[in-house]
Amino acid sequence: MMLRSALLISVLASGAHTSALAWELSGFDMPESIVADTANNQLFVSNIAGHPAEADGKGYVSRVSADGTLLDLEWASGMDAPKGMALFGDSLIVADLTKLHVVSRETGQITQTISPEGAVFLNDVTASADRVWVSDMMTGVIWSYDGVDVTEFYQAADLPHPNGLWTDGEELVIAHWGPGMQADFTTEAPGDLLSVDIASGAVTTISAKVGNLDGVDKIDGGFIVNDWLTGEIFKVTDGESALLLKAPVSTADIAVQGDTLYLPHMFEGRISTYDLN
């Protein structure tokens, strides 16, 4: 059953910010990522549906109004295990294991599918006006797509499991899951938040050993990132990370639009929003 409710202010974790849960909506099937399409007052939600690492054809993207009303549960289908997404011109770009789908924002139809050679677990997507970047969490490759071709942009031995991505067209910010990943997705050490200068390729560490990082987005004065394994969400400013709030374990690819934080709760099959004010 779909659930949408306005809730009172609540403290999410001891010592964390107090935030307002504006609304929540359930009935999804392993929601992994949320993208806000402000021009059309709507959200896109990727649903893994089947196994996160299997090409089973069960995945899809939902369409939700900005006020939390379900518009179309299976708006774009024919996918395997879709995860990160980004708006790119008139299209929605979706990472789907070994494939990158280009989806019409008007119809929900897949207009192009690209399979980067050697891709294993394409995860997050971010885009500027003329370029898209995609992370492969298992190979460590960051791919670049210019609307025509997909090429390898970045890979480093000390960044084996890149996950979340954000860009302003000049820098590419990478949320790293962490080194030495085990079968249960724990790591030998927490992941860093890094920045790559797109023109020069120079890498700087924004904040070290933050957590098993999944999503990342920009806010005034810094970034918001989240740890998938613990549910902790951090605000990163001036190189330091501070706990912002505690969400459920498996909260995945978060997104920020204005003062609203969007949260896909993967194992709970629901999404929610929080007011950052």
Side-chain angles (χ1 to χ4, degrees):
M1 177 180 291
M2 295 299 164
L3 173 66
R4 178 176 178 268
S5 58
L7 301 180
L8 299 176
I9 301 295
S10 61
V11 179
L12 300 178
S14 177
H17 264 218
T18 299
S19 298
L21 174 53
W23 55 260
E24 65 177 15
L25 183 65
S26 62
F28 299 97
D29 197 341
M30 297 185 73
E32 204 279 339
S33 181
I34 301 175
V35 169
D37 179 6
T38 56
N40 295 298
N41 203 35
Q42 63 185 2
L43 310 169
F44 297 115
V45 182
S46 63
N47 294 256
I48 294 173
H51 191 285
E54 290 184 1
D56 52 23
K58 297 179 180 179
Y60 57 89
V61 175
S62 303
R63 193 168 63 94
V64 176
S65 70
D67 67 358
T69 301
L70 181 68
L71 300 174
D72 193 338
L73 183 62
E74 296 192 28
W75 172 76
S77 58
M79 303 180 192
D80 293 317
K83 298 178 180 69
M85 304 178 292
L87 303 179
F88 185 58
D90 294 331
S91 300
L92 177 72
I93 309 298
V94 184
D96 187 15
L97 287 182
T98 61
K99 303 170 185 176
L100 194 64
H101 299 300
V102 181
V103 180
S104 167
R105 289 167 65 180
E106 181 178 352
T107 66
Q109 297 298 309
I110 297 174
T111 61
Q112 183 182 14
T113 296
I114 306 155
S115 299
E117 185 175 356
V120 174
F121 199 84
L122 299 180
N123 200 316
D124 200 18
V125 185
T126 190
S128 63
D130 59 0
R131 200 169 175 189
V132 174
W133 288 264
V134 186
S135 62
D136 191 323
M137 189 176 172
M138 295 304 176
T139 68
V141 175
I142 307 292
W143 295 93
S144 171
Y145 170 63
D146 62 4
V148 179
D149 299 315
V150 175
T151 56
E152 185 175 319
F153 171 71
Y154 182 81
Q155 185 177 27
D158 59 355
L159 188 74
H161 304 296
N163 195 327
L165 300 175
W166 174 88
T167 191
D168 60 359
E170 296 182 0
E171 70 171 330
L172 179 67
V173 174
I174 304 171
H176 187 209
W177 190 270
M181 187 167 66
Q182 307 301 307
D184 62 357
F185 289 93
T186 59
T187 55
E188 294 175 356
D192 303 332
L193 186 65
L194 308 168
S195 175
V196 179
D197 183 271
I198 291 172
S200 68
V203 180
T204 57
T205 300
I206 298 172
S207 187
K209 298 183 178 180
V210 181
N212 294 118
L213 301 183
D214 193 316
V216 56
D217 212 334
K218 189 77 168 64
I219 57 171
D220 288 342
F223 296 91
I224 288 184
V225 297
N226 68 298
D227 186 318
W228 190 94
L229 289 179
T230 67
E232 294 174 321
I233 297 176
F234 301 95
K235 182 178 181 180
V236 178
T237 54
D238 298 324
E240 299 294 330
S241 63
L243 183 64
L244 179 68
L245 56 89
K246 182 70 164 64
V249 171
S250 83
T251 296
D253 187 15
I254 61 170
V256 175
Q257 184 64 47
D259 295 322
T260 302
L261 174 63
Y262 295 97
L263 306 168
H265 308 293
M266 193 167 144
F267 288 168
E268 297 185 353
R270 66 183 178 93
I271 65 175
S272 64
T273 68
Y274 289 85
D275 185 350
L276 294 171
N277 285 324

